Amino acid sequence: MATSNEIIRVEHVVKEFEGGVKALDDCSLSINRGEVVAIIGPSGSGKSTMLRCLNLLEIPTSGKVIVDGVDITDEKINLDQHRRKMGMVFQHFNLFPHMTVKKNITLAPVRLKLKTQKEADETAMKLLERIGLADKAGSYPAMLSGGQKQRIAIVRALAMEPEVMLFDEPTSALDPEMVGEVLDVMKELAKSGMTMAVVTHEMGFAREVADRVIFMDSGKIVEVNTPNELFDHPQNPRTKLFLSKVL
Amino acid sequence: MWWSNLFKDMSPASFFNFSFLPKYAAFFIQGIEYTLLLAVVSVLLAVLPALLLALMRLSKSRLIRSISGAYIAVFRSTPLLVQLSIIYFGLFGVINIPRYSLFGFVDLSRFIPGVVALALNSSAYVAEIFRAGILAVDAGQMEAARSLGLSKFDGMQLVVLPQAIKNVLPALANEIVTMVKESSICSILGMAELMFGAKAVASSTYITLAPYTLAALIYFCINYPASKAIEAIERRMRRGDKQ
């Protein structure tokens, strides 16, 4: 049984792509409320696929993903309802280019009747003020820098008041000088107690902010530990090899 | 009138013997109106079925995909004239349309079958335009919409389609230009569009060539500026995207 503290539980998830490529091979993990989990590993190790399986953007070939006690791989449940609980931030931001910043943020809450347009506008402005971009409310995404876009993408996800935030390499597509501003927003979010799963190449961020670090390689979860243990005393030879290359 | 002398000594087979104009101008003016009506109405009518066909073509179900695929294949692989004849004599041989005249010169019992045939034909082409437009929208857009808890329908309607339609607007306008030309085939079934007008003038005046030259000129003067305008709008839209 899921303990009340547990929010996501992944059980024996396998993801096989067409052509027989196994992106995930029998992965299990659990994430507790308020926890920040960093997922690291070489490219092609399946870490993004893992993250995308958490809100079923990628549908597992087999295995279960249990969110808040509900198995969301069950085809009978209303997946859209459960996705609301999980905000997602993408590598390439995926802001809606034909809408203003404010509209990007308010679209889903208003459409799903969680808020009136007026309430959603107020929330959007508050969130934008928090990240110092209130003056961009009326701008279109094309007018913003990468760092600004990603911070707004974070805010857009937060506007749904999710219980978990998923980050898929949120700083990988950014110019180096903009990485900091995005990581700062994420740090603040972690401090505020948000549950977060972060696929990242930023080892410094993983060490500083994560409660636990998951190391993946060739579709398998190889090692899970606290950042200090995993970075300073890796147990598995593959973890050691990877860390020796990136640290 | 002063310019009627211009054509006095021209042969009936001359390219520019427009001496019929004072008497027969109405044939061309009504012809233009009829042609534009045919083209615009049939493409507008084609938009919704085409959207449906495009979405069906992108469906997960193989059956739905192949129904749409078959429709598109049939209409793209047979001549418009054949489709028009089958629909006119077949479909509208059964369905009776009252002989009601619109604006005094658009006989609905001919116009409606013509528009239906052109729209059915056009929807096959427009469906492919839409499909390409939808596929050109980055897959991350739908993923972002879904990750916010929006349904596939909402994601399509609010996020993907507005971007797709913007992408395909020029192609859609070009389809109207194509229809302005293609609709000339309706003259064969007695629809009083531009080509029909030219033919009627040629046979009643024995000026065999110039009515067609004039028709060609008119088609050109409609379509060329139209396609230039479409290009300009397209360029402006691109600029808007970049800023």
Side-chain angles (χ1 to χ4, degrees):
Chain A
M1 273 308 287
T3 58
S4 63
N5 204 25
E6 186 180 67
I7 184 148
I8 295 180
R9 179 182 197 81
V10 176
E11 289 178 356
H12 305 293
V13 160
V14 174
K15 175 67 190 183
E16 215 169 302
F17 285 112
E18 277 170 55
V21 184
K22 236 181 202 176
L24 293 179
D25 190 0
D26 195 18
C27 290
S28 300
L29 64 90
S30 84
I31 299 173
N32 291 328
R33 270 176 218 283
E35 198 179 23
V36 177
V37 175
I39 305 173
I40 62 168
S43 48
S45 58
K47 48 193 196 307
S48 279
T49 311
M50 182 75 254
L51 192 79
R52 291 160 57 83
C53 276
L54 298 184
N55 67 351
L56 254 60
L57 279 187
E58 220 63 84
I59 295 166
T61 313
S62 66
K64 283 181 181 173
V65 179
I66 294 152
V67 177
D68 239 350
V70 180
D71 178 7
I72 60 168
T73 56
D74 184 349
E75 280 174 22
K76 281 181 288 237
I77 61 120
N78 181 349
L79 183 58
D80 295 336
Q81 209 105 54
H82 291 277
R83 279 207 180 108
R84 293 179 196 179
K85 296 183 204 160
M86 289 181 280
M88 188 159 196
V89 175
F90 300 85
Q91 185 178 354
H92 297 287
F93 331 128
N94 298 356
L95 291 179
F96 306 136
H98 58 302
M99 296 176 188
T100 61
V101 165
K102 200 200 241 176
K103 185 81 191 168
N104 261 279
I105 299 169
T106 59
L107 178 74
V110 174
R111 181 68 177 188
L112 298 171
K113 299 203 165 69
L114 306 176
K115 288 192 171 88
T116 65
Q117 184 69 51
K118 196 165 162 268
E119 289 165 348
D121 283 347
E122 280 165 17
T123 315
M125 289 317 294
K126 259 185 224 148
L127 287 165
L128 283 172
E129 265 160 39
R130 226 168 95 187
I131 57 165
L133 290 176
D135 57 324
K136 302 290 184 196
S139 306
Y140 283 86
M143 300 156 87
L144 306 171
S145 73
Q148 291 172 332
K149 281 186 208 171
Q150 194 61 300
R151 280 145 69 201
I152 285 160
I154 293 171
V155 161
R156 176 176 70 178
L158 287 177
M160 287 297 294
E161 294 170 9
E163 294 175 34
V164 188
M165 285 285 285
L166 311 175
F167 294 84
D168 190 1
E169 302 196 23
T171 56
S172 298
L174 295 175
D175 292 336
E177 75 268 24
M178 294 170 181
V179 170
E181 59 187 75
V182 172
L183 290 182
D184 285 344
V185 172
M186 291 169 65
K187 280 178 202 165
E188 195 209 316
L189 199 56
K191 243 183 257 164
S192 74
M194 176 61 77
T195 311
M196 292 162 68
V198 186
V199 170
T200 187
H201 292 294
E202 298 287 333
M203 297 304 147
F205 175 82
R207 188 191 268 269
E208 186 190 331
V209 181
D211 299 304
R212 268 190 307 155
V213 179
I214 294 173
F215 173 71
M216 290 186 69
D217 192 20
S218 340
K220 284 193 162 79
I221 292 175
V222 176
E223 195 166 343
V224 184
N225 218 327
T226 61
N228 287 339
E229 278 301 307
L230 193 124
F231 285 118
D232 297 336
H233 311 288
Q235 301 299 311
N236 192 290
R238 280 193 282 176
T239 320
K240 283 178 191 165
L241 182 69
F242 174 73
L243 290 176
S244 73
K245 283 179 187 162
V246 297
L247 286 182
Chain B
M1 248 180 272
W2 64 269
W3 50 271
S4 43
N5 288 330
L6 273 179
F7 306 110
K8 218 170 194 174
D9 303 320
M10 279 188 169
S11 117
S14 160
F15 278 99
F16 302 106
N17 185 353
F18 295 152
S19 56
F20 54 83
L21 260 182
K23 205 170 157 194
Y24 291 98
F27 279 67
F28 288 92
I29 289 163
Q30 288 185 358
I32 292 168
E33 290 168 356
Y34 203 121
T35 291
L36 291 179
L37 208 59
L38 264 179
V40 173
V41 173
S42 54
V43 174
L44 289 183
L45 281 179
V47 165
L48 278 183
L51 190 56
L52 189 68
L53 284 166
L55 292 175
M56 285 169 72
R57 200 99 169 88
L58 297 168
S59 155
K60 269 194 202 139
S61 148
R62 213 171 135 186
L63 178 72
I64 292 175
R65 273 205 314 270
S66 24
I67 292 172
S68 165
Y71 178 94
I72 293 168
V74 166
F75 276 89
R76 295 216 304 178
S77 310
T78 55
L80 179 55
L81 180 55
V82 175
Q83 295 162 18
L84 188 64
S85 306
I86 291 175
I87 288 162
Y88 186 81
F89 294 112
L91 186 60
F92 289 93
V94 186
I95 304 168
N96 255 318
I97 293 172
R99 287 189 131 274
Y100 177 79
S101 254
L102 208 60
F103 314 126
F105 62 93
V106 177
D107 172 8
L108 285 188
S109 69
R110 291 179 195 278
F111 180 77
I112 288 174
V115 152
V116 168
L118 290 180
L120 290 176
N121 174 276
S122 189
S123 60
Y125 289 91
V126 177
E128 291 293 272
I129 294 173
F130 279 152
R131 189 173 73 106
I134 291 169
L135 289 177
V137 176
D138 180 44
Q141 292 289 310
M142 183 55 112
E143 287 184 352
R146 299 305 302 274
S147 78
L148 288 166
L150 294 171
S151 65
K152 203 172 175 182
F153 182 86
D154 278 352
M156 197 42 103
Q157 190 203 344
L158 301 171
V159 174
V160 176
L161 281 184
Q163 295 178 59
I165 284 172
K166 202 176 152 193
N167 292 343
V168 304
L169 227 44
L172 201 62
N174 274 325
E175 178 67 15
I176 295 184
V177 169
T178 305
M179 269 303 143
V180 167
K181 293 182 286 177
E182 294 285 299
S183 63
S184 62
I185 220 157
C186 293
S187 64
I188 288 177
L189 295 176
M191 277 167 252
E193 45 70 73
L194 184 51
M195 183 61 191
F196 184 87
K199 246 197 298 193
V201 172
S203 54
S204 39
T205 59
Y206 301 108
I207 299 173
T208 46
L209 190 53
Y212 299 114
T213 326
L214 183 59
L217 262 171
I218 294 171
Y219 278 119
F220 184 85
C221 289
I222 295 170
N223 287 334
Y224 184 72
S227 41
K228 280 288 151 195
I230 294 162
E231 272 175 38
I233 290 167
E234 201 179 0
R235 266 200 307 276
R236 233 176 71 184
M237 274 172 24
R238 287 240 178 80
R239 218 170 37 227
D241 275 349
K242 277 197 189 108
Q243 270 170 5

